[in-house]
Amino acid sequence: MGLAGAKLADGEWISFAHGEQYPLLLGLPPIWLVSGGRGAGKTRLGAEWVNAVARGLPPFAVAKRRHALIALVGETLGDVREVMVEGPSGILATARKTRARFEPSRRRVVWETGAVAHMFSSEDPESLRGPQFHAAWCDELAKWKNAEATFDMLQFGLRLGALPRQVITTTPRPTKLMKRLMADPSVVVSRFTTAGNMKNLAPGFIVALSERYRNSRLIRQELDGELIEDREDALWSRELVEKAYAAEAPEVGRIVVAVDPPASSRRSSDACGIVAAGRAADGRIVVLADASMRAAKPQAWANAAVNLFHRLEADCIVAEVNQGGDMVSAVIRAADASVPVRAVRARHGKWTRAEPVQMLYQQERVVHAGRFPALEDEMCDFGLDGLSGGRSPDRVDALVWAVSELTPGRAGEPRVRTIGD
C-alpha cells in the first residue's frame, strides 16, 4: 500500500481487521453468508459492512455509490438494538468518519450521508411487506423464529439500485433455510472460526472451551463455525425438533419439573438434567424450561430444581433415583422439605425409555414453548450409544421423565409422594 493509500486507510477498518473479515478478492456478491463460531468477529463484520455500504466504501460497496436504504434484521427487535445497533461491536460503535445516529422511536439508524437503516425482527415477517431496500444485514439467521417467511419477504424488498446486496452473519445450525442457502450456487459462503479472532478474546477462552467440549458437535458448531447435519442414527432429527417449536404455546394445567441427577458431585461428572413440562387441556405436552446445569455440589442442582418448581408453580418434582437413591430425596429435602416429589426408577435403557417420547413428537403431541438450544442439540445427537462426545444425555433423560409423567396413559396412577413419607 502506497503512502496515499496508507493515509486514506488511516483509522479505517482495513488497518486492523483480520483477513477473513476483509476479503479484497470477494467482489460484490448479492448474498454473502458468513458462518462463524462464537466470538469469531461476525457482528463486527456485519456492522462494518453496513457502515461501509452507507458511506460507499469499497470493497463492500462500489466507490462513492452509497446504499441509501438498508434493512437490519435479527431474531427479535431487542437483538437488533442491543447487538446490531448499540452492541460493543455494533453499528454505532464502529461508525467513524461519517457518524451514525440512532432514532429508537422510529427504529432506525441515520447517517450523515443520508443513508437510513430500518430495524426488523423475525417475529414479524409481515413488517417486511412493503418497504424496499438497497441492502440488508441479517444477523443470527439460524436462530430466527419465522426464518423462511422473514427471509423470503426480505428478498422481495431488495429491489433498489443496480446491485441490491445482503450480508448474513450467523452461528450455524442445520435449519432448513441454512441448508438451502449453503446449497445455492449464487450464495458466497465464508466460514470464520473463533480461533481466527483470538487476539480480540479473553486469554484462555478458546483453550478452556475446547477442553471442556472436546470431540463434541458443540465445539465444531460453536467455535469452528461448521454446519452440523443430523446424526444418522439420532432418535430425533433437527426437522422434528424445529417442528415442535410453537410461537404461541397452549396454556397448561399440571406442571412437573423432572430431575436427572449426576452420578457424583465431582466437577468432571455429568450435568444434572432439569426440565419442566406441562400438560395442556387438549392433551399436548408443553416443554416449558431447561434449567440443566453442571454443579460441583448437589445442593446447587437441588436449589435450581426447587427454584424452577416455585417459579412455574409446578405440582411436583419427578426425580430419578437410580444413581443417588435416598441421597436424591435428602438433597431436595434440604433445599425445601415442602416440595412434593415423585421418585422414579429406570428399569430400561435410555434409548428404550426415550422411544415412546420421540413417537409423541412425531404425532405432534409435544411442543416447545421456547428455544432450548442445548436440549435440542442433545436430542439430535442422541443415538443408540448415547451422545457422540461420550457424555451422558442428562437433558434428554430429564425431558423423557417429564413427558412420560404427563402422558395420558399414566393418568390416574399414584404419582406424588412428599419427601419424608
Side-chain angles (χ1 to χ4, degrees):
M1 184 183 293
L3 182 60
K7 190 172 182 180
L8 195 64
D10 183 37
E12 296 290 357
W13 194 37
I14 191 173
S15 62
F16 46 86
H18 61 73
E20 290 96 342
Q21 291 176 312
Y22 214 94
L24 292 170
L25 302 179
L26 186 64
L28 297 169
I31 302 179
W32 183 18
L33 172 57
V34 178
S35 173
R38 303 282 187 93
K42 305 184 300 299
T43 302
R44 182 61 180 270
L45 166 66
E48 294 281 4
W49 186 92
V50 168
N51 276 306
V53 299
R55 296 170 59 195
L57 298 180
F60 303 123
V62 177
K64 297 183 180 179
R65 183 184 295 172
R66 302 183 184 93
H67 288 64
L69 291 173
I70 305 167
L72 306 174
V73 191
E75 182 184 6
T76 67
L77 285 173
D79 292 324
V80 177
R81 176 171 181 167
E82 294 170 16
V83 178
M84 300 170 71
V85 176
E86 295 185 311
S89 298
I91 291 169
L92 300 183
T94 56
R96 281 179 284 275
K97 295 180 180 178
T98 303
R99 303 302 299 175
R101 180 179 76 255
F102 180 39
E103 298 179 353
S105 63
R106 301 186 69 178
R107 296 179 181 173
R108 70 179 193 173
V109 179
V110 181
W111 284 262
E112 294 173 358
T113 62
V116 180
H118 295 273
M119 298 165 53
F120 301 90
S121 112
S122 69
E123 295 178 319
D124 185 13
E126 290 298 306
S127 64
L128 284 159
R129 187 185 295 276
Q132 52 186 353
F133 312 100
H134 295 90
W137 172 22
C138 305
D139 190 46
E140 291 299 351
L141 176 138
K143 289 174 57 186
W144 285 7
K145 292 180 171 61
N146 303 292
E148 293 189 77
T150 302
F151 185 78
D152 289 343
M153 283 294 101
L154 175 63
Q155 305 317 298
F156 285 111
L158 283 165
R159 56 180 183 262
L160 295 181
L163 191 65
R165 293 179 299 117
Q166 57 197 304
V167 65
I168 301 169
T169 54
T170 187
T171 301
R173 293 178 67 194
T175 64
K176 186 177 180 180
L177 179 57
M178 279 290 292
K179 290 189 281 188
R180 178 181 119 196
L181 290 173
M182 286 193 160
D184 188 336
S186 68
V187 176
V188 173
V189 180
S190 298
R191 184 161 68 87
F192 290 8
T193 65
T194 305
N197 196 38
M198 187 182 297
K199 66 179 182 181
N200 295 314
L201 302 175
F205 169 76
I206 296 175
V207 173
L209 286 184
S210 298
E211 181 64 27
R212 186 177 304 165
Y213 300 110
R214 181 184 302 169
N215 299 325
S216 71
R217 290 163 53 117
L218 199 61
I219 202 75
R220 293 167 56 200
Q221 175 175 290
E222 301 298 325
L223 292 191
D224 295 339
E226 288 186 46
L227 181 70
I228 307 299
E229 297 283 358
D230 288 339
R231 177 177 169 178
E232 289 186 6
D233 66 338
L235 190 55
W236 279 271
S237 67
R238 291 282 177 184
E239 183 178 1
L240 187 60
V241 173
E242 289 291 332
K243 193 175 180 180
Y245 172 73
E248 295 183 6
E251 293 186 3
V252 297
R254 185 167 187 265
I255 297 174
V256 300
V257 174
V259 178
D260 178 57
S264 73
S265 60
R266 297 192 304 271
R267 289 186 180 272
S268 59
S269 66
D270 298 325
C272 177
I274 305 172
V275 173
R279 186 175 174 188
D282 60 7
R284 285 184 296 169
I285 296 166
V286 183
V287 180
L288 300 170
D290 173 21
S292 304
M293 63 184 300
R294 191 174 299 277
K297 296 182 179 180
Q299 290 86 347
W301 60 253
N303 286 334
V306 167
N307 289 340
L308 183 60
F309 170 89
H310 287 301
R311 178 166 68 83
L312 297 179
E313 298 182 354
D315 293 87
C316 75
I317 290 179
V318 179
E320 181 182 333
V321 297
N322 284 57
Q323 300 291 345
D326 292 338
M327 181 276 292
V328 175
S329 298
V331 171
I332 299 177
R333 183 189 300 121
D336 189 337
S338 68
V339 174
V341 171
R342 173 176 164 79
V344 292
R345 187 174 295 276
R347 293 180 174 83
H348 304 285
K350 297 178 186 296
W351 177 277
T352 302
R353 298 200 309 272
E355 279 185 308
V357 173
Q358 189 265 5
M359 289 179 62
L360 293 176
Y361 275 83
Q362 288 184 337
Q363 297 164 2
E364 300 184 15
R365 293 169 60 189
V366 181
V367 298
H368 287 194
R371 295 288 186 177
F372 310 114
L375 172 60
E376 293 168 12
D377 287 343
E378 270 201 12
M379 294 168 70
C380 298
D381 189 31
F382 178 58
L384 281 166
D385 59 349
L387 301 182
S388 58
R391 295 172 294 111
S392 174
D394 310 291
R395 297 173 193 268
V396 170
D397 262 2
L399 170 73
V400 168
W401 285 121
V403 173
S404 299
E405 179 67 18
L406 294 167
T407 50
R410 295 179 58 90
E413 291 186 17
R415 303 170 181 265
V416 184
R417 66 177 175 84
T418 303
I419 295 176
D421 285 0

